[in-house]
Amino acid sequence: MSQPGAAASSNDEPQVESYSFLGPSGTFTEAALAQVPAARGKHWRSVNNVGEALDDVVSGRSVAAMIAIENSVEGGVTAAQDALTTIPGLRIIGEYVVPVGFVLVARPGTALADVRTINAHPVAYAQCLRWLDTTIPSHAHIPMTSNVTAASALLDDGTLADAAIAPPNILDHYPLEVLAEDIATNRNAVTRFVLVSRTAALPPRTGADKTSIVAELPEDRSGALLELLEQFSTRGINMSLLQSRPIGDALGRYRFVIDLDGHARDERIADALLGVRRFSPNVVFLGSYARADRIPVEHTPAYADEVFADARAWLDDLLA
Ligand SMILES: O=C(O)C(=O)Cc1ccccc1
């Protein structure tokens, strides 16, 4: 699909720069991409999953891909975290937050009492489970690739589903009927998205930045996690995300997905990254980028850039 004003192009041979997103049109991922000024007027390539979106970036078919990375109710989108960790050459260059709410939709004429089988994206399903358990306790769930596909598939021949969990704006796109509104457990739920490109120069420091890394611990060492976290606490760095993911080669082996408040060009973050690199057998740097909320990062004066520069000058002087 092309944004208004973009040159016409097919999915395979884009004439203008492409941005990949989980489609089709109407998804929350599309709403996140709409927040990116650089994507305006460009070709927006609708894909079916995170792997396809990131493959577009690796192959150069798209300049960037928008992917969901964390939901305020469900937590980290593990498929996205794992893909970013294991596919080399990718960088997060921006962060965007979208409020997410859901409705239950069906083909016109369907009564709520007749609904048994429900199409839903797994994250949407988890967010609406309390309502489903109360209202349709014996429901069956068919997992779908996106919130919009869940709804559009109700119109496919031979579909098994009676209803779908979908974004509130779904009737703008498909001739369906809303059976129930506002069915998510948490009304203030948001999803965090990241814009991913190939490895390139770091986005500039804004003072309201985040740095994402993934680190493994040295094997069989007591207190190793504490030692990893000390790299940040001793430099006054706040973490906004710490999540363990199985490495996958044996039981009990984990890597840690970490978001830090600050930019790799902040002295304290750079110094902590050196500490992590010395300590961890495997560190993946996912990027430094502007925070979605644009709230400046606070730190105590003891960890200001000048203090690190002063200390280095002092040492240089001693050694000279
Ligand atoms: O972008 C969408 O609409 C998706 O289907 C992914 C998703 C699922 C649940 C919450 C936010 C995004």
Side-chain angles (χ1 to χ4, degrees):
M1 121 203 207
S2 289
Q3 281 307 98
S9 60
S10 80
N11 264 358
D12 296 331
E13 290 173 44
Q15 306 298 301
V16 293
E17 282 181 347
S18 270
Y19 286 76
S20 296
F21 74 105
L22 179 70
S25 189
T27 59
F28 295 119
T29 312
E30 185 192 49
L33 189 52
Q35 295 182 31
V36 180
R40 286 190 196 131
K42 304 289 166 59
H43 177 256
W44 290 15
R45 186 175 140 79
S46 169
V47 299
N48 281 323
N49 54 61
V50 173
E52 195 184 354
L54 295 181
D55 188 57
D56 280 354
V57 175
V58 171
S59 68
R61 206 174 296 123
S62 289
V63 291
M66 185 65 80
I67 60 171
I69 193 82
E70 188 184 2
N71 180 274
S72 60
V73 176
E74 257 301 279
V77 179
T78 52
Q81 292 174 331
D82 292 348
L84 285 178
T85 307
T86 50
I87 302 172
L90 294 175
R91 279 283 166 83
I92 299 175
I93 55 169
E95 179 190 52
Y96 307 87
V97 169
V98 177
V100 291
F102 296 99
V103 296
L104 189 77
V105 289
R107 289 176 292 277
T110 309
L112 183 56
D114 297 333
V115 172
R116 284 288 162 277
T117 305
I118 296 168
N119 282 344
H121 184 280
V123 176
Y125 178 72
Q127 271 189 247
C128 301
L129 195 53
R130 193 182 298 169
W131 183 88
L132 287 172
D133 281 345
T134 316
T135 319
I136 316 172
S138 62
H139 69 270
H141 170 209
I142 302 180
M144 300 300 287
T145 54
S146 82
N147 293 310
V148 172
T149 313
S152 68
L154 292 176
L155 301 169
D156 291 350
D157 289 342
T159 177
L160 298 175
D162 307 309
I165 296 176
N169 65 354
I170 195 70
L171 299 198
D172 298 346
H173 300 269
Y174 299 96
L176 296 166
E177 239 169 51
V178 173
L179 295 183
E181 287 186 83
D182 216 357
I183 63 170
T185 304
N186 187 327
R187 288 186 163 190
N188 301 320
V190 294
T191 296
R192 200 162 69 82
F193 293 83
V194 288
L195 187 64
V196 179
S197 77
R198 267 160 300 189
T199 305
L202 283 186
R205 186 152 76 134
T206 69
D209 306 294
K210 233 176 212 187
T211 293
S212 297
I213 63 169
V214 184
E216 290 177 22
L217 302 178
E219 262 185 89
D220 297 329
R221 191 152 126 197
S222 66
L225 177 58
L226 184 61
E227 213 173 313
L228 173 66
L229 302 186
E230 270 171 359
Q231 304 302 324
F232 313 122
S233 66
T234 56
R235 293 167 177 96
I237 298 168
N238 183 52
M239 283 186 302
S240 58
L241 177 85
L242 172 65
Q243 188 167 354
S244 63
R245 290 293 306 143
I247 294 173
D249 54 358
L251 269 179
R253 298 235 311 130
Y254 293 93
R255 55 170 81 99
F256 292 85
V257 184
I258 301 170
D259 282 357
L260 305 169
D261 284 354
H263 193 285
R265 292 198 191 284
D266 294 333
E267 292 280 357
R268 64 188 187 290
I269 298 282
D271 205 52
L273 290 176
L274 291 177
V276 173
R277 169 75 189 177
R278 284 194 302 269
F279 160 80
S280 164
N282 194 9
V283 193
V284 180
F285 176 76
L286 294 180
S288 288
Y289 48 90
R291 293 161 62 109
D293 59 16
R294 302 290 189 267
I295 296 175
V297 172
E298 302 273 339
H299 61 82
T300 56
Y303 301 106
D305 280 359
E306 307 76 66
V307 179
F308 282 88
D310 267 10
R312 203 173 303 118
W314 171 78
L315 183 63
D316 287 346
D317 220 30
L318 287 181
L319 300 177

